[in-house]
Amino acid sequence: MSQNQIKKPIGKRIRNWAIVLIVIAIYVWAFAGAPSIALKDSAIQALKAIFHGFLHPDWDYIYDPAGEDLLRTLLETLAIAVLGTFISAILCVPFAFWAARNMTKHRTLSSLGKIVLSCIRVFPELIMALLFIKSVGLGPFAGILALGFHSIGMLGKLFGESIENTEFTAREALIASGANKLQVLWFAIIPEIMPAFMSYTLYRFEISVRSATILGIVGAGGIGAPLIFALNGHSWDRVGIILYGIIIMVTIIDLISAAIRKRLV
């Protein structure tokens, strides 16, 4: 074995240990300057109350014929996610074709489309909800508009990349046979990209369900409003049943969506 072959492993070990020591030194320096953390008696009592509420949730809140209950608010949250995703899945299609590089000969146009999509999705759903609340008032309609507008940017980007990565062999054949642009779009492009579009829409719907659960915190409808009211009122048993409901709903939707996407792809 030559000396160069011996030196390489030694040098690699020294470099790896130097990186580990530097990371440890950074952590030590960071925690050394942190203030001391001590739990007060009130904090310990609050933690006990939280765990007690989670272990003994408010089962009566699941269904209440006389007023607001868990099932109604979860259904409203699901409706916000469905409508927001449906709106964005339709409105984002022109933006996706605009941003796809293989749909135009001018790269400047596709680059401009990508910039527009980036500008749309730069605003989080909560910020969009606050803006739409000022326009249309409190309620689920503001949440639908917020989710729909934000999802246009996300789905438009995914759809555009899907169009760019697709090889349209049937498109060239139809063009050679004399088909017009509408016929090429309908018979060659859409059948090729539709499975990917459906898969991305379902994936975005999963994310929208999670986002819709917090829109109610700012007054945009859904389960977020009773959740923030329960948190402010320290009603930990109600917080527990609401979180359990959110977990069950999101898990069921994820399982169904994953099963459908496996059949599409």
Side-chain angles (χ1 to χ4, degrees):
M1 187 179 289
S2 63
Q3 288 185 347
N4 290 333
Q5 289 176 336
I6 296 174
K7 287 180 180 179
K8 283 183 180 178
I10 294 175
K12 191 174 182 181
R13 287 197 200 103
I14 293 173
R15 187 181 65 209
N16 292 340
W17 278 107
I19 293 172
V20 172
L21 291 175
I22 290 172
V23 172
I24 293 174
I26 291 173
Y27 272 99
V28 170
W29 173 76
F31 283 102
S36 58
I37 300 174
L39 290 177
K40 299 180 180 179
D41 294 336
S42 58
I44 295 174
Q45 293 175 0
L47 288 174
K48 289 181 179 178
I50 291 172
F51 281 113
H52 183 271
F54 278 35
L55 294 174
H56 302 85
D58 184 9
W59 300 109
D60 295 333
Y61 184 66
I62 294 178
Y63 179 69
D64 183 9
E68 183 184 78
D69 55 29
L70 181 65
L71 293 178
R72 286 190 180 91
T73 51
L74 286 178
L75 185 61
E76 184 178 283
T77 302
L78 186 62
I80 292 171
V82 169
L83 292 174
T85 307
F86 179 76
I87 291 171
S88 62
I90 294 175
L91 296 181
C92 76
V93 173
F95 292 95
F97 280 99
W98 181 15
R101 294 185 183 275
N102 57 346
M103 288 289 106
T104 179
K105 296 179 180 179
H106 305 286
R107 292 294 180 92
T108 306
L109 287 176
S110 60
S111 299
L112 181 61
K114 291 181 184 295
I115 293 172
V116 171
L117 289 174
S118 298
C119 293
I120 292 174
R121 69 175 182 270
V122 76
F123 299 101
E125 293 94 337
L126 283 177
I127 302 299
M128 296 306 305
L130 290 172
L131 293 175
F132 282 114
I133 284 172
K134 295 296 182 181
S135 303
V136 301
L138 298 171
F141 186 51
I144 293 170
L145 293 177
L147 274 181
F149 190 84
H150 178 78
S151 298
I152 288 174
M154 298 300 297
L155 283 177
K157 177 180 181 296
L158 294 173
F159 286 6
E161 291 176 352
S162 177
I163 295 171
E164 289 179 348
N165 296 331
T166 303
E167 295 182 4
F168 301 109
T169 54
R171 173 191 178 191
E172 304 298 331
L174 284 174
I175 292 175
S177 64
N180 57 39
K181 291 184 178 180
L182 184 61
Q183 290 172 330
V184 171
L185 177 65
W186 186 256
F187 293 106
I189 297 177
I190 291 180
E192 290 285 338
I193 61 179
M194 187 56 68
F197 276 24
M198 294 297 295
S199 179
Y200 285 135
T201 302
L202 288 171
Y203 175 70
R204 182 61 203 175
F205 172 63
E206 296 175 17
I207 300 175
S208 296
V209 172
R210 294 175 175 84
S211 301
T213 58
I214 61 172
L215 290 179
I217 294 176
V218 295
I223 195 68
L227 178 60
I228 194 66
F229 291 151
L231 286 170
N232 291 335
H234 296 172
S235 300
W236 303 118
D237 53 348
R238 180 156 297 185
V239 172
I241 194 63
I242 291 174
L243 292 180
Y244 289 150
I246 293 172
I247 292 170
I248 293 172
M249 180 182 70
V250 170
T251 303
I252 292 173
I253 289 173
D254 285 354
L255 292 175
I256 296 173
S257 176
I260 296 174
R261 280 190 283 117
K262 283 182 181 179
R263 292 179 176 272
L264 290 174
V265 180

PDB file of all heavy atoms in Angstrom, residues 86-119:
ATOM      1  N   PHE A  86     -60.334  22.773  -5.705  1.00  0.00           N
ATOM      2  CA  PHE A  86     -61.038  22.682  -6.987  1.00  0.00           C
ATOM      3  C   PHE A  86     -60.875  23.975  -7.791  1.00  0.00           C
ATOM      4  O   PHE A  86     -60.596  23.942  -8.995  1.00  0.00           O
ATOM      5  CB  PHE A  86     -62.521  22.395  -6.737  1.00  0.00           C
ATOM      6  CG  PHE A  86     -63.349  22.310  -7.980  1.00  0.00           C
ATOM      7  CD1 PHE A  86     -63.284  21.183  -8.785  1.00  0.00           C
ATOM      8  CD2 PHE A  86     -64.184  23.352  -8.357  1.00  0.00           C
ATOM      9  CE1 PHE A  86     -64.043  21.103  -9.949  1.00  0.00           C
ATOM     10  CE2 PHE A  86     -64.948  23.281  -9.509  1.00  0.00           C
ATOM     11  CZ  PHE A  86     -64.874  22.148 -10.314  1.00  0.00           C
ATOM     12  N   ILE A  87     -61.030  25.105  -7.116  1.00  0.00           N
ATOM     13  CA  ILE A  87     -60.867  26.398  -7.802  1.00  0.00           C
ATOM     14  C   ILE A  87     -59.456  26.549  -8.348  1.00  0.00           C
ATOM     15  O   ILE A  87     -59.246  26.928  -9.507  1.00  0.00           O
ATOM     16  CB  ILE A  87     -61.217  27.548  -6.837  1.00  0.00           C
ATOM     17  CG1 ILE A  87     -62.717  27.543  -6.529  1.00  0.00           C
ATOM     18  CG2 ILE A  87     -60.810  28.894  -7.423  1.00  0.00           C
ATOM     19  CD1 ILE A  87     -63.106  28.499  -5.417  1.00  0.00           C
ATOM     20  N   SER A  88     -58.469  26.242  -7.523  1.00  0.00           N
ATOM     21  CA  SER A  88     -57.078  26.412  -7.942  1.00  0.00           C
ATOM     22  C   SER A  88     -56.692  25.436  -9.044  1.00  0.00           C
ATOM     23  O   SER A  88     -55.917  25.781  -9.939  1.00  0.00           O
ATOM     24  CB  SER A  88     -56.144  26.228  -6.739  1.00  0.00           C
ATOM     25  OG  SER A  88     -56.256  24.925  -6.209  1.00  0.00           O
ATOM     26  N   ALA A  89     -57.220  24.195  -9.007  1.00  0.00           N
ATOM     27  CA  ALA A  89     -56.883  23.201 -10.026  1.00  0.00           C
ATOM     28  C   ALA A  89     -57.359  23.635 -11.402  1.00  0.00           C
ATOM     29  O   ALA A  89     -56.762  23.262 -12.418  1.00  0.00           O
ATOM     30  CB  ALA A  89     -57.486  21.849  -9.659  1.00  0.00           C
ATOM     31  N   ILE A  90     -58.436  24.417 -11.467  1.00  0.00           N
ATOM     32  CA  ILE A  90     -58.944  24.898 -12.754  1.00  0.00           C
ATOM     33  C   ILE A  90     -58.213  26.168 -13.188  1.00  0.00           C
ATOM     34  O   ILE A  90     -57.749  26.279 -14.328  1.00  0.00           O
ATOM     35  CB  ILE A  90     -60.460  25.156 -12.668  1.00  0.00           C
ATOM     36  CG1 ILE A  90     -61.212  23.835 -12.437  1.00  0.00           C
ATOM     37  CG2 ILE A  90     -60.966  25.835 -13.941  1.00  0.00           C
ATOM     38  CD1 ILE A  90     -62.688  24.005 -12.229  1.00  0.00           C
ATOM     39  N   LEU A  91     -58.076  27.118 -12.265  1.00  0.00           N
ATOM     40  CA  LEU A  91     -57.492  28.408 -12.619  1.00  0.00           C
ATOM     41  C   LEU A  91     -55.999  28.328 -12.885  1.00  0.00           C
ATOM     42  O   LEU A  91     -55.451  29.200 -13.573  1.00  0.00           O
ATOM     43  CB  LEU A  91     -57.773  29.426 -11.512  1.00  0.00           C
ATOM     44  CG  LEU A  91     -59.240  29.784 -11.271  1.00  0.00           C
ATOM     45  CD1 LEU A  91     -59.351  30.821 -10.161  1.00  0.00           C
ATOM     46  CD2 LEU A  91     -59.890  30.301 -12.542  1.00  0.00           C
ATOM     47  N   CYS A  92     -55.306  27.311 -12.356  1.00  0.00           N
ATOM     48  CA  CYS A  92     -53.857  27.252 -12.512  1.00  0.00           C
ATOM     49  C   CYS A  92     -53.441  26.678 -13.865  1.00  0.00           C
ATOM     50  O   CYS A  92     -52.268  26.802 -14.247  1.00  0.00           O
ATOM     51  CB  CYS A  92     -53.227  26.425 -11.396  1.00  0.00           C
ATOM     52  SG  CYS A  92     -53.437  24.649 -11.587  1.00  0.00           S
ATOM     53  N   VAL A  93     -54.365  26.047 -14.595  1.00  0.00           N
ATOM     54  CA  VAL A  93     -54.007  25.393 -15.853  1.00  0.00           C
ATOM     55  C   VAL A  93     -53.436  26.383 -16.874  1.00  0.00           C
ATOM     56  O   VAL A  93     -52.383  26.119 -17.479  1.00  0.00           O
ATOM     57  CB  VAL A  93     -55.218  24.629 -16.422  1.00  0.00           C
ATOM     58  CG1 VAL A  93     -54.905  24.097 -17.818  1.00  0.00           C
ATOM     59  CG2 VAL A  93     -55.590  23.476 -15.495  1.00  0.00           C
ATOM     60  N   PRO A  94     -54.076  27.545 -17.129  1.00  0.00           N
ATOM     61  CA  PRO A  94     -53.458  28.498 -18.076  1.00  0.00           C
ATOM     62  C   PRO A  94     -52.080  28.960 -17.622  1.00  0.00           C
ATOM     63  O   PRO A  94     -51.177  29.116 -18.457  1.00  0.00           O
ATOM     64  CB  PRO A  94     -54.459  29.665 -18.095  1.00  0.00           C
ATOM     65  CG  PRO A  94     -55.745  29.090 -17.624  1.00  0.00           C
ATOM     66  CD  PRO A  94     -55.384  28.028 -16.652  1.00  0.00           C
ATOM     67  N   PHE A  95     -51.895  29.157 -16.305  1.00  0.00           N
ATOM     68  CA  PHE A  95     -50.584  29.562 -15.806  1.00  0.00           C
ATOM     69  C   PHE A  95     -49.545  28.468 -16.025  1.00  0.00           C
ATOM     70  O   PHE A  95     -48.373  28.761 -16.296  1.00  0.00           O
ATOM     71  CB  PHE A  95     -50.677  29.912 -14.319  1.00  0.00           C
ATOM     72  CG  PHE A  95     -51.476  31.141 -14.025  1.00  0.00           C
ATOM     73  CD1 PHE A  95     -52.815  31.063 -13.692  1.00  0.00           C
ATOM     74  CD2 PHE A  95     -50.886  32.399 -14.085  1.00  0.00           C
ATOM     75  CE1 PHE A  95     -53.553  32.204 -13.427  1.00  0.00           C
ATOM     76  CE2 PHE A  95     -51.615  33.547 -13.818  1.00  0.00           C
ATOM     77  CZ  PHE A  95     -52.954  33.449 -13.487  1.00  0.00           C
ATOM     78  N   ALA A  96     -49.978  27.190 -15.870  1.00  0.00           N
ATOM     79  CA  ALA A  96     -49.048  26.068 -16.061  1.00  0.00           C
ATOM     80  C   ALA A  96     -48.563  26.006 -17.505  1.00  0.00           C
ATOM     81  O   ALA A  96     -47.360  25.831 -17.762  1.00  0.00           O
ATOM     82  CB  ALA A  96     -49.730  24.760 -15.659  1.00  0.00           C
ATOM     83  N   PHE A  97     -49.473  26.151 -18.475  1.00  0.00           N
ATOM     84  CA  PHE A  97     -49.065  26.147 -19.882  1.00  0.00           C
ATOM     85  C   PHE A  97     -48.229  27.380 -20.211  1.00  0.00           C
ATOM     86  O   PHE A  97     -47.331  27.323 -21.052  1.00  0.00           O
ATOM     87  CB  PHE A  97     -50.299  26.089 -20.783  1.00  0.00           C
ATOM     88  CG  PHE A  97     -50.877  24.716 -20.916  1.00  0.00           C
ATOM     89  CD1 PHE A  97     -51.973  24.325 -20.159  1.00  0.00           C
ATOM     90  CD2 PHE A  97     -50.320  23.798 -21.788  1.00  0.00           C
ATOM     91  CE1 PHE A  97     -52.510  23.059 -20.273  1.00  0.00           C
ATOM     92  CE2 PHE A  97     -50.850  22.531 -21.916  1.00  0.00           C
ATOM     93  CZ  PHE A  97     -51.944  22.148 -21.151  1.00  0.00           C
ATOM     94  N   TRP A  98     -48.532  28.484 -19.552  1.00  0.00           N
ATOM     95  CA  TRP A  98     -47.758  29.707 -19.761  1.00  0.00           C
ATOM     96  C   TRP A  98     -46.315  29.514 -19.266  1.00  0.00           C
ATOM     97  O   TRP A  98     -45.361  29.962 -19.930  1.00  0.00           O
ATOM     98  CB  TRP A  98     -48.447  30.848 -19.023  1.00  0.00           C
ATOM     99  CG  TRP A  98     -47.777  32.185 -19.152  1.00  0.00           C
ATOM    100  CD1 TRP A  98     -46.816  32.552 -20.060  1.00  0.00           C
ATOM    101  CD2 TRP A  98     -48.019  33.346 -18.354  1.00  0.00           C
ATOM    102  NE1 TRP A  98     -46.448  33.857 -19.879  1.00  0.00           N
ATOM    103  CE2 TRP A  98     -47.171  34.361 -18.842  1.00  0.00           C
ATOM    104  CE3 TRP A  98     -48.875  33.613 -17.295  1.00  0.00           C
ATOM    105  CZ2 TRP A  98     -47.151  35.632 -18.280  1.00  0.00           C
ATOM    106  CZ3 TRP A  98     -48.869  34.877 -16.734  1.00  0.00           C
ATOM    107  CH2 TRP A  98     -48.015  35.883 -17.219  1.00  0.00           C
ATOM    108  N   ALA A  99     -46.142  28.832 -18.138  1.00  0.00           N
ATOM    109  CA  ALA A  99     -44.811  28.682 -17.540  1.00  0.00           C
ATOM    110  C   ALA A  99     -44.010  27.527 -18.124  1.00  0.00           C
ATOM    111  O   ALA A  99     -42.801  27.427 -17.878  1.00  0.00           O
ATOM    112  CB  ALA A  99     -44.945  28.489 -16.024  1.00  0.00           C
ATOM    113  N   ALA A 100     -44.647  26.619 -18.866  1.00  0.00           N
ATOM    114  CA  ALA A 100     -43.941  25.460 -19.434  1.00  0.00           C
ATOM    115  C   ALA A 100     -43.052  25.900 -20.596  1.00  0.00           C
ATOM    116  O   ALA A 100     -43.518  26.546 -21.540  1.00  0.00           O
ATOM    117  CB  ALA A 100     -44.937  24.403 -19.881  1.00  0.00           C
ATOM    118  N   ARG A 101     -41.795  25.537 -20.560  1.00  0.00           N
ATOM    119  CA  ARG A 101     -40.841  25.969 -21.584  1.00  0.00           C
ATOM    120  C   ARG A 101     -41.083  25.303 -22.935  1.00  0.00           C
ATOM    121  O   ARG A 101     -40.742  25.867 -23.981  1.00  0.00           O
ATOM    122  CB  ARG A 101     -39.411  25.684 -21.123  1.00  0.00           C
ATOM    123  CG  ARG A 101     -38.993  26.501 -19.911  1.00  0.00           C
ATOM    124  CD  ARG A 101     -37.525  26.279 -19.572  1.00  0.00           C
ATOM    125  NE  ARG A 101     -37.143  27.008 -18.366  1.00  0.00           N
ATOM    126  CZ  ARG A 101     -36.771  28.277 -18.347  1.00  0.00           C
ATOM    127  NH1 ARG A 101     -36.739  28.967 -19.479  1.00  0.00           N
ATOM    128  NH2 ARG A 101     -36.421  28.873 -17.225  1.00  0.00           N
ATOM    129  N   ASN A 102     -41.630  24.085 -22.915  1.00  0.00           N
ATOM    130  CA  ASN A 102     -41.830  23.379 -24.186  1.00  0.00           C
ATOM    131  C   ASN A 102     -43.156  23.734 -24.862  1.00  0.00           C
ATOM    132  O   ASN A 102     -43.523  23.118 -25.858  1.00  0.00           O
ATOM    133  CB  ASN A 102     -41.747  21.867 -23.978  1.00  0.00           C
ATOM    134  CG  ASN A 102     -42.756  21.374 -22.960  1.00  0.00           C
ATOM    135  OD1 ASN A 102     -43.347  22.157 -22.219  1.00  0.00           O
ATOM    136  ND2 ASN A 102     -42.962  20.079 -22.916  1.00  0.00           N
ATOM    137  N   MET A 103     -43.897  24.707 -24.310  1.00  0.00           N
ATOM    138  CA  MET A 103     -45.155  25.127 -24.920  1.00  0.00           C
ATOM    139  C   MET A 103     -45.015  26.413 -25.728  1.00  0.00           C
ATOM    140  O   MET A 103     -45.983  26.865 -26.334  1.00  0.00           O
ATOM    141  CB  MET A 103     -46.220  25.341 -23.833  1.00  0.00           C
ATOM    142  CG  MET A 103     -46.725  24.065 -23.201  1.00  0.00           C
ATOM    143  SD  MET A 103     -47.759  23.064 -24.303  1.00  0.00           S
ATOM    144  CE  MET A 103     -46.634  21.725 -24.695  1.00  0.00           C
ATOM    145  N   THR A 104     -43.833  26.992 -25.720  1.00  0.00           N
ATOM    146  CA  THR A 104     -43.618  28.221 -26.479  1.00  0.00           C
ATOM    147  C   THR A 104     -42.180  28.263 -26.975  1.00  0.00           C
ATOM    148  O   THR A 104     -41.280  27.659 -26.371  1.00  0.00           O
ATOM    149  CB  THR A 104     -43.914  29.473 -25.606  1.00  0.00           C
ATOM    150  OG1 THR A 104     -43.657  30.651 -26.387  1.00  0.00           O
ATOM    151  CG2 THR A 104     -43.038  29.495 -24.371  1.00  0.00           C
ATOM    152  N   LYS A 105     -41.977  28.964 -28.071  1.00  0.00           N
ATOM    153  CA  LYS A 105     -40.629  29.118 -28.616  1.00  0.00           C
ATOM    154  C   LYS A 105     -39.865  30.244 -27.926  1.00  0.00           C
ATOM    155  O   LYS A 105     -38.644  30.339 -28.055  1.00  0.00           O
ATOM    156  CB  LYS A 105     -40.716  29.397 -30.116  1.00  0.00           C
ATOM    157  CG  LYS A 105     -41.318  28.247 -30.913  1.00  0.00           C
ATOM    158  CD  LYS A 105     -41.389  28.598 -32.387  1.00  0.00           C
ATOM    159  CE  LYS A 105     -42.004  27.449 -33.189  1.00  0.00           C
ATOM    160  NZ  LYS A 105     -42.109  27.769 -34.641  1.00  0.00           N
ATOM    161  N   HIS A 106     -40.585  31.094 -27.209  1.00  0.00           N
ATOM    162  CA  HIS A 106     -39.967  32.252 -26.572  1.00  0.00           C
ATOM    163  C   HIS A 106     -39.741  31.948 -25.084  1.00  0.00           C
ATOM    164  O   HIS A 106     -40.710  31.830 -24.319  1.00  0.00           O
ATOM    165  CB  HIS A 106     -40.840  33.496 -26.737  1.00  0.00           C
ATOM    166  CG  HIS A 106     -41.178  33.806 -28.172  1.00  0.00           C
ATOM    167  ND1 HIS A 106     -40.272  34.344 -29.059  1.00  0.00           N
ATOM    168  CD2 HIS A 106     -42.335  33.613 -28.875  1.00  0.00           C
ATOM    169  CE1 HIS A 106     -40.854  34.495 -30.246  1.00  0.00           C
ATOM    170  NE2 HIS A 106     -42.105  34.057 -30.157  1.00  0.00           N
ATOM    171  N   ARG A 107     -38.513  31.795 -24.693  1.00  0.00           N
ATOM    172  CA  ARG A 107     -38.193  31.500 -23.291  1.00  0.00           C
ATOM    173  C   ARG A 107     -38.587  32.638 -22.356  1.00  0.00           C
ATOM    174  O   ARG A 107     -38.844  32.418 -21.174  1.00  0.00           O
ATOM    175  CB  ARG A 107     -36.691  31.202 -23.146  1.00  0.00           C
ATOM    176  CG  ARG A 107     -36.259  29.916 -23.821  1.00  0.00           C
ATOM    177  CD  ARG A 107     -36.890  28.733 -23.126  1.00  0.00           C
ATOM    178  NE  ARG A 107     -36.510  27.470 -23.718  1.00  0.00           N
ATOM    179  CZ  ARG A 107     -35.476  26.739 -23.323  1.00  0.00           C
ATOM    180  NH1 ARG A 107     -34.700  27.186 -22.344  1.00  0.00           N
ATOM    181  NH2 ARG A 107     -35.198  25.592 -23.891  1.00  0.00           N
ATOM    182  N   THR A 108     -38.629  33.851 -22.890  1.00  0.00           N
ATOM    183  CA  THR A 108     -38.984  34.996 -22.048  1.00  0.00           C
ATOM    184  C   THR A 108     -40.406  34.869 -21.527  1.00  0.00           C
ATOM    185  O   THR A 108     -40.690  35.187 -20.356  1.00  0.00           O
ATOM    186  CB  THR A 108     -38.841  36.305 -22.837  1.00  0.00           C
ATOM    187  OG1 THR A 108     -37.526  36.382 -23.381  1.00  0.00           O
ATOM    188  CG2 THR A 108     -39.076  37.509 -21.932  1.00  0.00           C
ATOM    189  N   LEU A 109     -41.318  34.377 -22.369  1.00  0.00           N
ATOM    190  CA  LEU A 109     -42.709  34.218 -21.940  1.00  0.00           C
ATOM    191  C   LEU A 109     -42.833  33.178 -20.840  1.00  0.00           C
ATOM    192  O   LEU A 109     -43.529  33.398 -19.844  1.00  0.00           O
ATOM    193  CB  LEU A 109     -43.576  33.820 -23.146  1.00  0.00           C
ATOM    194  CG  LEU A 109     -43.866  34.912 -24.183  1.00  0.00           C
ATOM    195  CD1 LEU A 109     -44.650  34.331 -25.341  1.00  0.00           C
ATOM    196  CD2 LEU A 109     -44.639  36.058 -23.540  1.00  0.00           C
ATOM    197  N   SER A 110     -42.177  32.024 -21.005  1.00  0.00           N
ATOM    198  CA  SER A 110     -42.250  30.990 -19.971  1.00  0.00           C
ATOM    199  C   SER A 110     -41.577  31.444 -18.678  1.00  0.00           C
ATOM    200  O   SER A 110     -42.064  31.145 -17.581  1.00  0.00           O
ATOM    201  CB  SER A 110     -41.611  29.697 -20.467  1.00  0.00           C
ATOM    202  OG  SER A 110     -40.250  29.897 -20.787  1.00  0.00           O
ATOM    203  N   SER A 111     -40.484  32.180 -18.799  1.00  0.00           N
ATOM    204  CA  SER A 111     -39.822  32.700 -17.588  1.00  0.00           C
ATOM    205  C   SER A 111     -40.720  33.694 -16.864  1.00  0.00           C
ATOM    206  O   SER A 111     -40.780  33.703 -15.624  1.00  0.00           O
ATOM    207  CB  SER A 111     -38.496  33.371 -17.968  1.00  0.00           C
ATOM    208  OG  SER A 111     -37.613  32.452 -18.566  1.00  0.00           O
ATOM    209  N   LEU A 112     -41.443  34.513 -17.633  1.00  0.00           N
ATOM    210  CA  LEU A 112     -42.381  35.453 -17.025  1.00  0.00           C
ATOM    211  C   LEU A 112     -43.502  34.702 -16.311  1.00  0.00           C
ATOM    212  O   LEU A 112     -43.938  35.101 -15.218  1.00  0.00           O
ATOM    213  CB  LEU A 112     -42.952  36.381 -18.099  1.00  0.00           C
ATOM    214  CG  LEU A 112     -43.939  37.450 -17.621  1.00  0.00           C
ATOM    215  CD1 LEU A 112     -43.274  38.380 -16.618  1.00  0.00           C
ATOM    216  CD2 LEU A 112     -44.479  38.240 -18.805  1.00  0.00           C
ATOM    217  N   GLY A 113     -43.989  33.591 -16.906  1.00  0.00           N
ATOM    218  CA  GLY A 113     -45.008  32.781 -16.246  1.00  0.00           C
ATOM    219  C   GLY A 113     -44.518  32.189 -14.938  1.00  0.00           C
ATOM    220  O   GLY A 113     -45.252  32.151 -13.946  1.00  0.00           O
ATOM    221  N   LYS A 114     -43.270  31.729 -14.909  1.00  0.00           N
ATOM    222  CA  LYS A 114     -42.706  31.185 -13.665  1.00  0.00           C
ATOM    223  C   LYS A 114     -42.599  32.277 -12.600  1.00  0.00           C
ATOM    224  O   LYS A 114     -42.833  32.023 -11.414  1.00  0.00           O
ATOM    225  CB  LYS A 114     -41.328  30.585 -13.947  1.00  0.00           C
ATOM    226  CG  LYS A 114     -41.362  29.328 -14.798  1.00  0.00           C
ATOM    227  CD  LYS A 114     -39.977  28.773 -15.027  1.00  0.00           C
ATOM    228  CE  LYS A 114     -40.010  27.581 -15.964  1.00  0.00           C
ATOM    229  NZ  LYS A 114     -40.732  26.441 -15.381  1.00  0.00           N
ATOM    230  N   ILE A 115     -42.247  33.478 -13.005  1.00  0.00           N
ATOM    231  CA  ILE A 115     -42.143  34.587 -12.046  1.00  0.00           C
ATOM    232  C   ILE A 115     -43.517  34.916 -11.457  1.00  0.00           C
ATOM    233  O   ILE A 115     -43.659  35.149 -10.251  1.00  0.00           O
ATOM    234  CB  ILE A 115     -41.517  35.824 -12.726  1.00  0.00           C
ATOM    235  CG1 ILE A 115     -40.051  35.554 -13.083  1.00  0.00           C
ATOM    236  CG2 ILE A 115     -41.625  37.046 -11.823  1.00  0.00           C
ATOM    237  CD1 ILE A 115     -39.411  36.649 -13.918  1.00  0.00           C
ATOM    238  N   VAL A 116     -44.538  34.913 -12.314  1.00  0.00           N
ATOM    239  CA  VAL A 116     -45.902  35.201 -11.835  1.00  0.00           C
ATOM    240  C   VAL A 116     -46.342  34.144 -10.820  1.00  0.00           C
ATOM    241  O   VAL A 116     -46.905  34.467  -9.766  1.00  0.00           O
ATOM    242  CB  VAL A 116     -46.878  35.260 -13.027  1.00  0.00           C
ATOM    243  CG1 VAL A 116     -48.320  35.323 -12.533  1.00  0.00           C
ATOM    244  CG2 VAL A 116     -46.580  36.471 -13.894  1.00  0.00           C
ATOM    245  N   LEU A 117     -46.089  32.866 -11.101  1.00  0.00           N
ATOM    246  CA  LEU A 117     -46.449  31.799 -10.167  1.00  0.00           C
ATOM    247  C   LEU A 117     -45.683  31.927  -8.861  1.00  0.00           C
ATOM    248  O   LEU A 117     -46.234  31.665  -7.778  1.00  0.00           O
ATOM    249  CB  LEU A 117     -46.185  30.437 -10.810  1.00  0.00           C
ATOM    250  CG  LEU A 117     -47.129  30.038 -11.950  1.00  0.00           C
ATOM    251  CD1 LEU A 117     -46.679  28.737 -12.594  1.00  0.00           C
ATOM    252  CD2 LEU A 117     -48.557  29.895 -11.433  1.00  0.00           C
ATOM    253  N   SER A 118     -44.425  32.321  -8.940  1.00  0.00           N
ATOM    254  CA  SER A 118     -43.643  32.520  -7.715  1.00  0.00           C
ATOM    255  C   SER A 118     -44.210  33.667  -6.886  1.00  0.00           C
ATOM    256  O   SER A 118     -44.266  33.579  -5.656  1.00  0.00           O
ATOM    257  CB  SER A 118     -42.176  32.797  -8.073  1.00  0.00           C
ATOM    258  OG  SER A 118     -41.589  31.707  -8.749  1.00  0.00           O
ATOM    259  N   CYS A 119     -44.653  34.721  -7.554  1.00  0.00           N
ATOM    260  CA  CYS A 119     -45.243  35.855  -6.830  1.00  0.00           C
ATOM    261  C   CYS A 119     -46.565  35.469  -6.172  1.00  0.00           C
ATOM    262  O   CYS A 119     -46.882  35.948  -5.077  1.00  0.00           O
ATOM    263  CB  CYS A 119     -45.470  37.025  -7.788  1.00  0.00           C
ATOM    264  SG  CYS A 119     -43.948  37.764  -8.431  1.00  0.00           S
TER     265      CYS A 119
END
